[in-house]
Amino acid sequence: MSLRILIGRARNAINRKDGDSLTKWLSLQEKSKNFSLLSEFKKQHEDDLLAELEGIGGSEKWPFLLLNHLKTCLAISENQFLKAFDFHLQATMDFNTIFDKEESDWLVSPFVEMAKDLRILAEKAEKEKDTCDAFGKALDALRKAFSLSLNDRRNFQQSKKKAALQIINQLYKIAFKINNLQLCQGFKRLKEGVAFPDVNSFSITDQVTFKFCTGKYELLDANYKQSEEDLTFAFRNCPKVAKKNKRLILLYLVPVRLLAGRYPKDTLLQKYQLNFYIPIVKAIQRGNFQLLNNAIQRNQALFLRKGIYLLLQKTKLIAYRNLFRKVYLIQQTTKLDLKSFESAVKISEAKTDVDIEEIQCIIANLIAFGMMKGYISRQHQKIVLSEKNPFPAFPIETLYS
């Protein structure tokens, strides 16, 4: 296939308003498989190529967009990702102008494809030169794209608003890459605006991605109940064949559910290759702090990178609850010496520097969170447990507050 034929395909897609064909043409993933054509493009003079592209689509922006797209592909073929990003950024801004003036919704699919590729190229450009501010430039272009998608006031099915959720998903992904939760809070407000359509109006695929992004943000912002709700939706509605995506969702969902005392089965963790959670779950259930600390420490780098290390540390309160319940079941009385709990903690944590004040503090927290019913008698150095249900059943929703 010659370069002329390739350009002809773009011309035909634009003139026929064929969004699917144009999306395929503009996709950098698609074009990356056919870079042999670019040697022909490299030999052509830019003015001659613009003359050949003139008149496409009835907008003066189309020739420049297509030219910059070809330049992007050429830069990628030469592994010059910073140059590729700059060309694609210009193409995206040209597309924003075209998208704004187009009345129908046929450009939604290629519009979203351009946005996704902009985010991917920004990541590669940042790796090539971390001072290039590719993420900042991509954020500005995508915010503009998001605003343009919401400007359409027509019925959703015929509206350019169909691009809004996919654009905001790309914005979330960039915010996670640069570890900026404040940006996520801003995106949350954008979604809650009156102009934003009902999330249920979008495809289930886009909803799953969105709920994963919001669930991850809520987890990092310590809104655990909302995080569990969003991540559970994402996991249940993610296709079974998408095991890699389901595994990523579970990576965050498991520790959120652990915080409320919900334990995943070993078979589930094994199925999605999350075996490092198995000893953590066992340790929490048994109140075994040596096992728990070792399991968390063993994968500390991963947990820190994913932002779930502190959340796993919070599950230790569940482990204390389970350990103290064992003491209660062994002694079969509602009036227990604090020394009994002190001894249990020393054995479980394999350390001797645990004192009664620390035990009282742990018990006070357990009572405050509704994980234990009773009161501490400091005068007699005892814990007096409720006669009825002294260790309430899970889930313990108060830990989400």
Side-chain angles (χ1 to χ4, degrees):
M1 181 172 64
S2 68
L3 182 61
R4 186 177 294 274
I5 293 174
L6 182 67
I7 292 173
R9 289 183 176 179
R11 185 190 301 273
N12 290 337
I14 294 168
N15 290 339
R16 294 197 314 266
K17 296 191 173 184
D18 183 347
D20 290 339
S21 295
L22 184 60
T23 300
K24 185 176 180 180
W25 196 92
L26 287 171
S27 171
L28 294 178
Q29 282 68 39
E30 182 74 22
K31 202 67 87 279
S32 65
K33 301 170 185 175
N34 197 11
F35 280 134
S36 59
L37 291 172
L38 297 175
S39 58
E40 182 182 346
F41 165 67
K42 199 172 182 179
K43 296 174 184 176
Q44 291 216 7
H45 194 278
E46 186 172 311
D47 290 341
D48 294 337
L49 197 54
L50 281 172
E52 187 174 340
L53 294 168
E54 190 175 359
I56 292 180
S59 169
E60 61 180 17
K61 290 293 184 180
W62 277 116
F64 292 100
L65 187 156
L66 299 178
L67 179 63
N68 278 314
H69 175 71
L70 291 171
K71 288 180 178 180
T72 301
C73 295
L74 179 61
I76 291 173
S77 72
E78 297 172 344
N79 291 320
Q80 297 182 37
F81 294 109
L82 183 54
K83 283 180 65 176
F85 171 77
D86 288 337
F87 288 133
H88 189 70
L89 177 64
Q90 186 57 56
T92 301
M93 291 191 291
D94 288 337
F95 208 126
N96 280 350
T97 302
I98 295 168
F99 188 77
D100 186 33
K101 294 179 180 179
E102 177 61 46
E103 293 185 359
S104 66
D105 64 345
W106 77 276
L107 285 176
V108 165
S109 178
F111 187 62
V112 168
E113 186 70 22
M114 293 281 287
K116 180 181 72 175
D117 284 338
L118 183 66
R119 190 259 308 167
I120 293 171
L121 276 178
E123 291 182 24
K124 294 182 177 180
E126 289 279 351
K127 288 179 182 178
E128 185 176 309
K129 185 180 180 181
D130 59 10
T131 59
C132 65
D133 194 29
F135 283 135
K137 295 173 184 176
L139 281 169
D140 289 341
L142 292 179
R143 281 196 188 99
K144 176 67 174 176
F146 178 79
S147 298
L148 293 174
S149 69
L150 291 185
N151 285 343
D152 198 334
R153 294 292 180 262
R154 291 173 299 166
N155 178 276
F156 179 80
Q157 294 306 321
Q158 289 80 43
S159 168
K160 291 183 284 186
K161 285 183 179 180
K162 291 197 289 288
L165 195 63
Q166 294 186 67
I167 299 294
I168 209 167
N169 286 343
Q170 300 305 318
L171 288 167
Y172 266 113
K173 289 179 180 180
I174 292 177
F176 292 142
K177 276 290 180 183
I178 61 178
N179 196 28
N180 191 327
L181 290 187
Q182 190 173 356
L183 281 175
C184 292
Q185 180 62 36
F187 303 152
K188 184 178 179 180
R189 287 196 295 268
L190 288 176
K191 180 262 173 187
E192 292 169 351
V194 293
F196 199 90
D198 182 352
V199 172
N200 295 323
S201 304
F202 297 92
S203 72
I204 192 64
T205 301
D206 294 335
Q207 289 182 54
V208 166
T209 303
F210 177 70
K211 289 294 185 178
F212 168 72
C213 290
T214 56
K216 181 178 176 180
Y217 161 65
E218 297 294 357
L219 181 154
L220 297 173
D221 201 39
N223 298 319
Y224 301 123
K225 188 170 185 178
Q226 186 61 54
S227 175
E228 183 187 5
E229 183 180 318
D230 291 351
L231 291 172
T232 299
F233 176 95
F235 184 76
R236 288 176 177 171
N237 290 280
C238 185
K240 290 182 179 180
V241 294
K243 288 191 70 173
K244 183 178 179 182
N245 291 341
K246 290 182 82 74
R247 180 185 186 274
L248 184 59
I249 297 167
L250 274 180
L251 181 66
Y252 294 95
L253 181 56
V254 167
V256 170
R257 290 178 67 85
L258 282 176
L259 194 61
R262 297 182 176 94
Y263 307 122
K265 294 181 179 179
D266 289 358
T267 51
L268 178 71
L269 298 176
Q270 290 164 350
K271 179 180 179 180
Y272 292 102
Q273 299 179 336
L274 293 169
N275 299 51
F276 49 78
Y277 276 135
I278 292 176
I280 293 176
V281 173
K282 299 297 183 192
I284 294 171
Q285 289 176 316
R286 298 169 185 171
N288 186 329
F289 285 91
Q290 291 183 65
L291 178 60
L292 182 58
N293 290 330
N294 289 338
I296 293 176
Q297 190 68 28
R298 195 178 304 122
N299 295 282
Q300 181 177 340
L302 170 67
F303 297 147
L304 285 170
R305 190 167 67 252
K306 297 298 182 180
I308 55 180
Y309 178 78
L310 292 179
L311 176 57
L312 287 170
Q313 292 292 333
K314 290 182 179 181
T315 63
K316 289 184 177 181
L317 201 58
I318 304 283
Y320 279 121
R321 178 261 186 199
N322 293 338
L323 177 64
F324 290 175
R325 182 172 180 271
K326 282 185 177 181
V327 174
Y328 160 71
L329 291 174
I330 291 171
Q331 298 202 11
Q332 288 294 307
T333 177
T334 57
K335 295 179 180 179
L336 295 150
D337 289 331
L338 293 177
K339 280 287 185 183
S340 299
F341 294 110
E342 182 185 4
S343 299
V345 171
K346 285 180 178 179
I347 294 170
S348 178
E349 296 190 3
K351 62 181 185 180
T352 58
D353 59 342
V354 179
D355 56 33
I356 289 296
E357 286 73 20
E358 185 176 343
I359 298 301
Q360 289 179 353
C361 183
I362 294 169
I363 292 174
N365 277 320
L366 291 173
I367 293 172
F369 282 113
M371 302 170 73
M372 218 172 151
K373 290 182 180 179
Y375 63 91
I376 299 171
S377 174
R378 289 182 172 81
Q379 181 181 356
H380 298 98
Q381 293 292 286
K382 289 182 180 292
I383 171 74
V384 181
L385 296 172
S386 170
E387 294 284 350
K388 184 179 179 181
N389 195 19
F391 292 88
F394 291 120
I396 300 171
E397 302 291 356
T398 51
L399 278 180
Y400 281 166
S401 59

